[in-house]
Amino acid sequence: MIEIVAEIGVNHNGNLRTAMKLISSAAEAGASTCKFQVFSPALSFDGDVQLLKTLQATQLGPKDLEDLRDECSRVGVAFLCSAFDRPSIDLLVQMGETRVKVPSSRSTVAPYLEYLVNQPFFSVIFATGACDYDDLINARCVFQSRHYVEVECVSAYPCDPRSFVLPNTRSVVWPFGLSDHSSSWEACIAAVARGACYIEKHFTLSYDQEGPDHKASLLPATFKEMVGEIRNVEAMLLNMRKKPLEVELGTMMRNRRHDTIQYRG
């Protein structure tokens, strides 16, 4: 089954109660997984004072993450985090997490990748925002001993869905997915049709909140609609044998009676 990820990220605005509500709402909307971002504000600081304040205001502590993982388990969704720096990687290792996502902002940082590959993660989800082909070849080599999922991504919020580069089904070598930062979800449907096993979309409770990602997110009702369309396409792709369906039997019998009457006449 395709993994559909509600990227909560920092849309909780540093409020644990809001984060809990986001998890329950995402589960009700059909998400398979809820994803969060783990970072050390001082290490992610690039000179932008406003960014530093935002990071400090939205940072979750180790106990918060454990509580959120417990809530994910309670409502029946998986828990996943992207780790932005070494202390964040170390924290996820200490928590016993077996999966981690490499955010686009770290996908070309060699020391980060070298440190991560030496940690006991079974599965690595690699975001490709701002990467070129050589970067992808390097990542595939670095993580060749892991369960590796390459996730197409455009690092703009929101982005133009026509900017995505979706692989041809005949050329797919690695499991792939899509992290969709566009304002719609047509790219998610296209990715599923191309064989994606992982779909990620930002998730929020309201657009009337401050924060960097709310405008590129879906509300619960629209996220649920997206999930329904993905599951429909997934079911179509799983239909391998053409045969009459039960819902067609009545039509078949009527048509056959009509053909008999016409023939006898």
Side-chain angles (χ1 to χ4, degrees):
M1 180 177 285
I2 295 166
E3 183 175 13
I4 303 177
V5 181
E7 163 65 310
I8 292 173
V10 296
N11 281 351
H12 49 73
N13 297 325
N15 186 299
L16 183 60
R17 181 174 296 181
T18 300
M20 294 286 192
K21 177 61 176 175
L22 281 159
I23 290 172
S24 60
S25 296
E28 291 171 3
S32 315
T33 300
C34 288
K35 191 177 88 64
F36 295 87
Q37 298 176 6
V38 187
F39 50 83
S40 305
L43 296 178
S44 301
F45 178 53
D46 63 358
D48 185 335
V49 175
Q50 186 56 47
L51 173 62
L52 178 59
K53 291 180 179 180
T54 298
L55 293 175
Q56 290 173 333
T58 57
Q59 184 183 24
L60 294 172
K63 181 61 167 59
D64 294 330
L65 291 171
E66 291 177 358
D67 289 345
L68 294 176
R69 181 172 62 180
D70 289 345
E71 178 66 8
C72 285
S73 178
R74 188 188 71 81
V75 300
V77 297
F79 174 80
L80 178 66
C81 290
S82 51
F84 284 74
D85 46 62
R86 289 190 180 191
S88 300
I89 293 172
D90 292 343
L91 174 58
L92 294 179
V93 171
Q94 291 167 13
M95 290 176 61
E97 289 300 302
T98 59
R99 294 200 304 165
V100 66
K101 185 182 178 189
V102 176
S104 292
S105 62
R106 300 297 182 265
S107 59
T108 60
V109 181
Y112 170 94
L113 299 179
E114 292 168 2
Y115 187 76
L116 180 63
V117 77
N118 288 310
Q119 306 307 313
F121 293 108
F122 168 76
S123 179
V124 173
I125 300 160
F126 186 87
T128 65
C131 288
D132 60 23
Y133 186 69
D134 289 339
D135 296 325
L136 300 185
I137 295 298
N138 177 66
R140 293 167 186 175
C141 291
V142 169
F143 298 114
Q144 60 182 327
S145 64
R146 301 289 194 272
H147 178 262
Y148 172 78
V149 181
E150 199 166 271
V151 177
E152 168 63 9
C153 175
V154 174
S155 297
Y157 305 85
C159 70
D160 184 340
R162 294 172 296 181
S163 302
F164 291 121
V165 180
L166 299 179
N168 186 299
T169 52
R170 296 178 181 177
S171 65
V172 172
V173 177
W174 305 95
F176 81 94
L178 175 70
S179 178
D180 183 6
H181 297 156
S182 71
S183 56
S184 63
W185 63 83
E186 58 194 344
C188 296
I189 302 301
V192 170
R194 287 289 180 94
C197 64
Y198 176 103
I199 297 294
E200 179 181 314
K201 192 75 176 175
H202 279 272
F203 185 82
T204 187
L205 298 176
S206 172
Y207 292 137
D208 298 325
Q209 300 181 75
E210 294 184 3
D213 297 333
H214 292 289
K215 297 298 189 236
S217 303
L218 293 184
L219 296 169
T222 47
F223 191 94
K224 184 174 184 178
E225 186 177 350
M226 179 196 74
V227 170
E229 292 187 9
I230 289 173
R231 295 301 182 210
N232 285 343
V233 174
E234 183 179 27
M236 296 175 202
L237 296 173
L238 291 173
N239 291 332
M240 303 300 293
R241 182 180 177 184
K242 181 63 177 174
K243 61 181 180 180
L245 301 176
E246 184 176 350
V247 295
E248 298 178 295
L249 296 180
T251 302
M252 289 172 57
M253 294 303 296
R254 286 194 298 273
N255 288 342
R256 287 174 181 174
R257 285 198 299 270
H258 177 74
D259 290 343
T260 302
I261 293 170
Q262 292 295 321
Y263 176 76
R264 289 178 177 175

